[in-house]
Amino acid sequence: MSSANNKRTVIVGIFTFLAIVILIAGIFTLAGQQKRLISTIAVTAIFDDVAGLRTGNNVWFSGVKIGTIKSINLYGDSQVEVTMSIEEKVQEYIRKNAVARISSESFIGNKNIVIDGGTQSAAPIQDGDRITAVSPLNTDDLMEKLQQNNENLVAITSDFKQITSRLVRGEGTIGAILTDSVMADNLRAMVANLQQTSRRTVAASNELSRFTSKLNSKDGLANQIATDTVVYSRLRSSMAELNEATTAAAAMMETLESTSKQLNNQNNAVGVLLSDQQFARQLQRTMQNLETSSQKFDQNMEALQSNILFRGFFRRQAKEEEKLKEQQQQAQPDTLNQQ
């Protein structure tokens, strides 16, 4: 009996020892996960809403777990103070102007706190410091907005369904275009005309560009007028002379108009000559009578030359004329010799 009892005692002792070892290993494991055996500092943050954050949840920095949530307590009227236990070795990387925000491991996973390190110009955090907190996105608000967007999407889909059904039935302008072949042909013709007009516009623009480049040529008249003061002054003087000529022409036209009015006036001699037919006939008869009288006078002179009484007079006159001609002929050679 004694040997059996000893054997049982040894077995119980072995199992007890293994249980103690397992317990100690579990304690060390849990303590390692909870950072119980690592030097830490306490940092707090004030949130308006922690959105289901719990004690023991993780604290992350740049994707690395650096601590856990130590405690969650109400603060003030409606805020929440969260105390974080952060490893002392990462203290130098987190600055006093760091920002803490609540995030999720997944869409419906555990909540945790993510710390943005701040700027290098700020000092590192110390034990007991408080950093700025950013309120998390409320899942209920997000779901409400998603529901509103879903309802709007349903309404848009319904409206689009009505529009497409009207288009299929040929209602409205676009429906008529889609179903009416004549209107479609007219639309294609209009588009072709617009394309042709666009090509013509481009061609006209190119021609205008070439014309302006010619105007900007150094040898062109436009460039000389714009840059050469001599050409500009000559052109200005020419325009002044042209203006004077235009003024003189206008005055001459006024004079001609006044003269023509005077010519058409029957109160003066020229007007009577131009407009009075009776006076013209009288003047014509007078000229005919003068011509007849001159013919008769010539006949009378011939008759006087043949008359005995006047024959001597006409002979002497003829001799004097011949003598005058001879003197003139003699005077011409003497003049030529002197030259």
Side-chain angles (χ1 to χ4, degrees):
M1 292 297 294
S2 60
S3 60
N5 292 331
N6 293 333
K7 185 178 180 180
R8 187 180 300 113
T9 303
V10 171
I11 293 172
V12 173
I14 292 172
F15 277 104
T16 303
F17 177 74
L18 290 176
I20 293 171
V21 171
I22 293 172
L23 178 61
I24 293 173
I27 292 172
F28 277 101
T29 302
L30 292 175
Q33 291 180 355
Q34 296 294 327
K35 307 296 182 181
R36 298 295 184 181
L37 304 178
I38 298 175
S39 298
T40 60
I41 61 173
V43 178
T44 60
I46 304 299
F47 292 92
D48 294 332
D49 187 354
V50 294
L53 186 68
R54 294 182 179 180
T55 304
N57 288 2
N58 298 324
V59 178
W60 297 84
F61 174 75
S62 297
V64 179
K65 180 182 176 182
I66 62 172
T68 57
I69 306 300
K70 185 176 181 180
S71 64
I72 299 175
N73 300 309
L74 293 176
Y75 180 84
D77 295 334
S78 60
Q79 292 179 318
V80 180
E81 181 184 36
V82 177
T83 303
M84 296 169 281
S85 179
I86 298 175
E87 297 179 14
E88 188 176 356
K89 64 181 181 179
V90 299
Q91 178 181 357
E92 58 179 330
Y93 301 104
I94 303 175
R95 306 292 172 168
K96 288 184 179 293
N97 59 353
V99 177
R101 57 186 176 86
I102 297 176
S103 180
S104 300
E105 294 180 358
S106 62
F107 186 73
I108 56 175
N110 293 328
K111 299 295 182 179
N112 53 32
I113 292 181
V114 178
I115 297 177
D116 296 329
T119 60
Q120 295 295 326
S121 59
I125 60 172
Q126 301 296 328
D127 186 21
D129 285 347
R130 177 175 295 172
I131 61 177
T132 304
V134 177
S135 297
L137 180 63
N138 193 333
T139 307
D140 294 336
D141 295 339
L142 179 61
M143 295 301 296
E144 183 179 357
K145 291 180 180 179
L146 289 175
Q147 182 65 26
Q148 292 178 357
N149 293 334
N150 188 26
E151 293 176 357
N152 294 333
L153 183 60
V154 171
I156 293 172
T157 304
S158 177
D159 294 339
F160 185 73
K161 182 178 179 181
Q162 293 180 2
I163 292 172
T164 53
S165 62
R166 292 182 60 187
L167 291 178
V168 172
R169 291 194 301 268
E171 298 178 1
T173 304
I174 299 177
I177 293 174
L178 294 176
T179 57
D180 192 349
S181 60
V182 176
M183 184 175 291
D185 294 336
N186 294 333
L187 183 61
R188 283 193 290 269
M190 182 178 66
V191 172
N193 292 331
L194 289 175
Q195 292 177 350
Q196 186 176 5
T197 303
S198 177
R199 289 193 294 269
R200 291 179 179 176
T201 303
V202 172
S205 178
N206 293 331
E207 293 295 334
L208 181 61
S209 179
R210 286 194 290 269
F211 177 72
T212 53
S213 63
K214 290 181 180 180
L215 290 180
N216 292 328
S217 178
K218 292 183 179 180
D219 298 331
L221 178 60
N223 184 71
Q224 291 182 0
I225 293 174
T227 58
D228 195 343
T229 57
V230 176
V231 174
Y232 175 76
S233 59
R234 290 179 180 176
L235 182 61
R236 186 174 182 179
S237 61
S238 299
M239 292 300 295
E241 293 176 357
L242 181 61
N243 189 17
E244 293 178 358
T246 304
T247 304
M252 183 177 67
M253 290 300 296
E254 291 180 357
T255 303
L256 289 175
E257 184 179 1
S258 176
T259 303
S260 63
K261 289 181 180 179
Q262 292 180 1
L263 290 177
N264 293 328
N265 189 2
Q266 297 181 1
N267 295 326
N268 52 39
V270 178
V272 172
L273 290 175
L274 294 176
S275 59
D276 194 347
Q277 296 180 357
Q278 183 178 359
F279 180 77
R281 288 193 295 271
Q282 292 176 359
L283 182 61
Q284 186 177 7
R285 286 196 297 270
T286 301
M287 295 300 294
Q288 291 176 356
N289 292 331
L290 288 174
E291 185 177 1
T292 303
S293 299
S294 61
Q295 291 177 357
K296 290 181 179 181
F297 180 76
D298 292 337
Q299 292 176 1
N300 292 330
M301 291 299 296
E302 291 179 356
L304 288 174
Q305 289 179 0
S306 60
N307 194 339
I308 298 173
L309 297 175
F310 296 98
R311 185 178 299 172
F313 173 75
F314 288 108
R315 286 179 179 177
R316 287 194 301 271
Q317 188 175 5
K319 289 180 180 181
E320 290 179 357
E321 290 178 357
E322 290 178 358
K323 185 177 179 180
L324 181 60
K325 289 180 179 181
E326 290 177 355
Q327 291 177 356
Q328 291 178 352
Q329 290 176 358
Q330 292 176 359
Q332 287 179 355
D334 295 337
T335 306
L336 292 174
N337 292 330
Q338 292 177 359
Q339 293 178 351

